[in-house]
Amino acid sequence: MKPTPLGFIGVGIMGEGMVSKILASGREVFVVKHKNSGPIGRVKDKGAKEILDMNGLAEKCEIILLCLPNSKTVKKVFAKLAPKLPINSLIIDCTTNNLNTVLEIGSLAKSKKLRYIEAPLTGGYQQAVSGKLGAMVGGEPQDYILAKQVLKPCCQKIERIGALGMGTRAKLISNFLALGTASLAIESLRVAKQMGVDWKKFYGLASLGSGSSKSLDRMAPKAIKDDYNSYAFTIDNAIKDFQYMLELFKNNKRLNDIIKPILKTYKEDKEILTGNHFISSRLSKEFLADINQVK
């Protein structure tokens, strides 16, 4: 039996790889025309079908997958989609959201007789391309079964964490771990450079100890070769996620005391770079020179 067509909104760094894997599994995928035409063009070459607007997408698909930059965008997209979608359509939201947005959209969807399930992702660009992402699902068990079928081609592990909202809680805790680790790796390499410690020797020795991490392994070898684009996660996204964490952990003073100084460094660094730079670009020679002048 032919799989139900999928509407995909958010063909960007992560979305391109996801759409490619879903297409390869045999499912028909419709994508919305967007100003960022590069990824859209590439998935069209692999068989995706382009729709001019979300109204057209809603007419073609009863399953919609969102992979969007932030909660503000999710709200805008939902407001445009919801009136046009057939009753009982399923929206699978892979965006990293704040908790209030997920609960609000879930309530609105229910009032419009639509189904909404969250499935924020672990992993990055490489995992999306290789189909090895993880999905932290929050929502009704029957919706989880369908969402799992849709996500299986691009996810190595898909787990239902609990009711709606639990996926977001787990995802933001996961990002606290991932971005916290990456931030410490960046700062360690930066201070090593500032103190004249050779990066190659430092990495070769530090990676043998308990300071070893996937973040360090991802960034250090390439930074040694003057490649600072190894961690495909933007400064703007880091700021956004740390702000979402502060909202989620607002009653936890310990975590606030950890997150706020890290967030402050990203906001300061955004004044030197732009928010569209990857966080690993904070290791570049030009950036280190600029920050030394500022201090």
Side-chain angles (χ1 to χ4, degrees):
M1 185 176 175
K2 191 175 180 180
T4 306
L6 173 70
F8 197 106
I9 302 175
V11 185
I13 291 174
M14 298 281 284
E16 182 179 347
M18 294 173 71
V19 170
S20 298
K21 284 294 181 182
I22 294 169
L23 284 167
S25 75
R27 189 181 293 271
E28 189 176 23
V29 181
F30 292 86
V31 296
V32 180
K33 185 177 178 67
H34 190 267
K35 61 183 179 181
N36 186 9
S37 59
I40 295 286
R42 289 190 290 272
V43 296
K44 282 173 63 179
D45 289 343
K46 296 177 182 178
K49 297 176 181 177
E50 187 177 40
I51 299 290
L52 293 179
D53 56 35
M54 281 183 274
N55 288 345
L57 193 73
E59 291 171 4
K60 290 279 187 182
C61 305
E62 295 183 12
I63 303 176
I64 305 291
L65 194 152
L66 308 180
C67 190
L68 298 169
N70 52 53
S71 290
K72 183 178 179 180
T73 307
V74 169
K75 289 181 180 181
K76 287 181 179 178
V77 168
F78 180 81
K80 292 179 181 178
L81 270 178
K84 302 293 182 180
L85 283 171
I87 288 174
N88 211 38
S89 293
L90 176 65
I91 298 171
I92 304 168
D93 190 357
C94 293
T95 309
T96 299
N97 281 301
N98 62 33
L99 181 60
N100 289 340
T101 294
V102 168
L103 298 178
E104 179 184 337
I105 297 290
S107 179
L108 287 170
K110 191 173 182 179
S111 71
K112 297 178 184 297
K113 298 183 179 179
L114 300 172
R115 294 181 291 162
Y116 174 78
I117 193 165
E118 57 174 344
L121 304 166
T122 59
Y125 169 77
Q126 290 297 337
Q127 288 77 16
V129 169
S130 59
K132 294 182 178 179
L133 294 167
M136 298 176 165
V137 182
E140 296 297 327
Q142 63 270 26
D143 296 337
Y144 166 67
I145 293 170
L146 179 52
K148 189 172 184 178
Q149 292 173 1
V150 174
L151 292 168
K152 190 174 181 180
C154 49
C155 291
Q156 179 176 295
K157 196 169 187 65
I158 305 165
E159 294 282 2
R160 180 177 179 266
I161 307 299
L164 193 67
M166 289 303 297
T168 291
R169 290 180 175 95
K171 168 61 174 174
L172 291 177
I173 295 169
S174 175
N175 274 18
F176 171 70
L177 174 62
L179 282 174
T181 302
S183 299
L184 286 175
I186 290 168
E187 295 303 326
S188 297
L189 289 167
R190 275 166 55 161
V191 75
K193 179 68 73 174
Q194 289 165 348
M195 291 187 169
V197 177
D198 180 84
W199 269 354
K200 187 174 182 179
K201 293 177 181 178
F202 174 77
Y203 172 63
L205 293 166
S207 61
L208 297 176
S210 55
S212 177
S213 68
K214 287 185 177 180
S215 293
L216 186 65
D217 290 343
R218 183 187 301 185
M219 291 184 284
K222 291 195 174 182
I224 290 164
K225 297 177 181 178
D226 294 330
D227 179 351
Y228 307 105
N229 293 312
S230 55
Y231 205 111
F233 197 85
T234 67
I235 291 173
D236 273 343
N237 270 334
I239 291 171
K240 180 260 296 183
D241 282 6
F242 279 122
Q243 288 173 331
Y244 287 176
M245 290 175 212
L246 286 178
E247 292 174 26
L248 180 64
F249 306 138
K250 61 184 177 183
N251 295 322
N252 189 318
K253 183 179 182 301
R254 178 189 291 265
L255 292 188
N256 272 258
D257 288 347
I258 296 170
I259 293 168
K260 284 180 178 178
I262 302 174
L263 175 59
K264 183 173 180 287
T265 66
Y266 279 100
K267 287 181 175 179
E268 289 172 348
D269 290 358
K270 185 179 175 179
E271 297 299 314
I272 298 169
L273 296 167
T274 68
N276 290 328
H277 279 80
F278 293 149
I279 61 172
S280 48
S281 67
R282 300 165 77 218
L283 294 170
S284 68
K285 294 176 182 177
E286 295 79 10
F287 176 76
L288 288 174
D290 285 344
I291 197 167
N292 284 334
Q293 288 175 10
V294 170
K295 291 181 177 179

